[in-house]
Amino acid sequence: MARARELLDVSTIYHEPAVPDFSRGREILDRFPAAERIVVPSHWNIPSLHGNAGSVEDWVRIKRSTLVLGVKKGLAMRPNGRSAHFIAPSTSNGCAMACAYCYVPRRKGFANPISLFVNVEAVAAAIARHAARQGPLTEPDTIDAAHWVYDLGENGDLSVDAMVSDTVRDLVGLFRDLLNAKASFATKAVNRDLLAYDPQGKTRIRFSLMPERIARIVDVRTAPIPERIAAIDDFVAAGYEVHVNFSPVILYEGWEADWRALFEAIDDAIGPAARAQLKAEIILLTHNADLHAVNLGWHPKAEDLLWRPDIQEAKVSEGGGANLRYRTGWKGQWLARFKALLAERMPYCTVRYAF
């Protein structure tokens, strides 16, 4: 894929000692035979990568050229109740893209290249056991009408991960065969290899969208917004449930006109099948003072949009992080206005979750 070549040209692989013991680990290593291999004690403990705020000029190079392989230790499901019922154990962490607002680097170094976990069978077995214990979904809810939904991509982008290994194909196949469960992941990439995975309605892909002119500034190294919109019908036809994430919603002078134009572009592009099943999540921007400071070293233009202390306030997240969010009271008014704009142009698009 041309897009894969643009995003990734792996020349260095850091991997835990046990990685070659797993078939998926050997497959990935064999896929990049010319890459330098560096054994590390832990995928979390790579001093040259993690906490590297001083390497901002090297971020894109690191993301393109570096891959990390490890073994997933924790296999527990976490309750969610918003976008999904449960957060499944991640099969990856980090990303080849470089969105200026991304929260993942706050936990794992700012360059944050893709880390893939090679014990895929253990992750899949844990999901299957958990789903079996749940039994049928007792009643429809805002997450899904018939299935327990498991988010697979909390800390990465599975469309890009699928350019490196068959793990995403394996997970789509797993949920195809689980009678009471459905997979879900958000993406800012368009990987058309996924069209051949035959999900049979059991995987929900959520294309993240925002106004095109803003995405050109903050969605660094992602698929262009028109490309994401153009993929919706094709993924529906291939058997995916396709939703949209309006995320993050960034407030600035003229935001309403830009979002109205985006809604018009979506409405003009998608067909009846996509409209009949389309739902949305709306997530207003959450920012972070540490990320702001680092962004000033490599992408200050993005901070003109993201850093708005005049309309933001400090708030501690559920995970204990000190973040900046749009001010209480105002945020509710802006969210209501956003929903009204969406309903005007796309009344068929139900809002499943807004925050």
Side-chain angles (χ1 to χ4, degrees):
M1 292 180 59
R3 185 66 185 161
R5 291 193 294 272
E6 294 169 12
L7 281 174
L8 293 167
D9 183 15
V10 176
S11 60
T12 303
I13 299 177
Y14 296 92
H15 69 85
E16 295 177 352
V19 162
D21 297 337
F22 294 85
S23 60
R24 184 53 39 83
R26 293 191 296 273
E27 289 170 11
I28 297 171
L29 290 170
D30 290 346
R31 188 165 186 168
F32 303 100
E36 179 185 12
R37 301 180 186 181
I38 302 172
V39 178
V40 293
S42 167
H43 71 93
W44 285 114
N45 185 20
I46 307 174
S48 61
L49 294 183
H50 301 304
N52 51 2
S55 302
V56 291
E57 67 278 4
D58 291 332
W59 280 9
V60 171
R61 178 190 62 78
I62 292 170
K63 283 178 171 292
R64 188 166 189 259
S65 65
T66 302
L67 184 64
V68 180
L69 304 179
V71 179
K72 182 71 174 176
K73 306 302 189 296
L75 298 177
M77 312 293 143
R78 296 189 354 253
N80 180 248
R82 292 179 174 177
S83 181
H85 294 105
F86 304 103
I87 306 296
S90 297
T91 54
S92 69
N93 188 296
C95 188
M97 297 179 282
C99 299
Y101 48 80
C102 182
Y103 71 91
V104 176
R106 302 174 202 167
R107 302 179 183 177
K108 188 199 169 194
F110 290 93
N112 198 43
I114 296 175
S115 295
L116 298 178
F117 302 119
V118 298
N119 53 331
V120 180
E121 293 86 355
V123 173
I127 294 171
R129 288 193 301 270
H130 187 272
R133 290 195 298 270
Q134 301 312 304
L137 184 69
T138 52
E139 59 183 0
D141 58 26
T142 58
I143 297 171
D144 197 73
H147 300 97
W148 297 105
V149 177
Y150 291 74
D151 193 295
L152 302 180
E154 182 185 31
N155 294 319
D157 192 306
L158 270 64
S159 294
V160 181
D161 296 348
M163 299 175 184
V164 181
S165 81
D166 287 334
T167 294
V168 179
R169 183 190 294 270
D170 292 344
L171 292 171
V172 171
L174 168 71
F175 280 92
R176 183 174 57 232
D177 296 333
L178 292 178
L179 298 179
N180 66 334
K182 177 184 291 184
S184 179
F185 66 91
T187 184
K188 298 182 181 72
V190 177
N191 182 349
R192 290 185 172 272
D193 288 349
L194 273 65
L195 296 173
Y197 287 6
D198 189 27
Q200 297 183 18
K202 299 300 294 300
T203 293
R204 173 185 297 163
I205 186 167
R206 299 162 5 241
F207 284 106
S208 294
L209 301 174
M210 68 170 63
E212 184 179 2
R213 75 178 185 94
I214 303 303
R216 290 197 194 106
I217 299 171
V218 300
D219 268 12
V220 181
R221 307 192 83 223
T222 64
I225 295 295
E227 183 180 349
R228 300 182 216 176
I229 295 172
I232 292 174
D233 275 3
D234 292 338
F235 276 78
V236 170
Y240 288 91
E241 181 182 38
V242 179
H243 290 182
V244 288
N245 278 9
F246 297 126
S247 171
V249 177
I250 301 169
L251 301 177
Y252 52 89
E253 192 70 31
W255 68 270
E256 292 168 289
D258 285 351
W259 280 97
R260 185 181 290 111
L262 176 67
F263 299 150
E264 291 172 356
I266 299 168
D267 187 49
D268 290 342
I270 63 175
R275 293 182 187 186
Q277 53 87 73
L278 193 69
K279 293 182 172 62
E281 297 178 11
I282 304 169
I283 304 174
L284 271 68
L285 172 72
T286 296
H287 201 26
N288 176 278
D290 290 341
L291 183 59
H292 165 67
V294 174
N295 280 351
L296 290 176
W298 79 285
H299 196 10
K301 187 175 181 181
E303 287 304 303
D304 292 340
L305 289 165
L306 303 177
W307 186 255
R308 289 292 307 275
D310 56 320
I311 58 173
Q312 291 168 327
E313 63 183 5
K315 186 171 183 179
V316 177
S317 71
E318 290 182 359
N323 296 327
L324 287 176
R325 295 175 180 169
Y326 294 120
R327 292 185 182 177
T328 304
W330 293 2
K331 179 179 177 180
Q333 295 177 44
W334 289 321
L335 187 55
R337 179 57 182 152
F338 187 98
K339 290 180 178 178
L341 291 170
L342 176 63
E344 287 172 13
R345 182 66 191 214
M346 299 171 61
Y348 50 85
C349 184
T350 301
V351 176
R352 287 197 307 104
Y353 167 66
F355 178 70

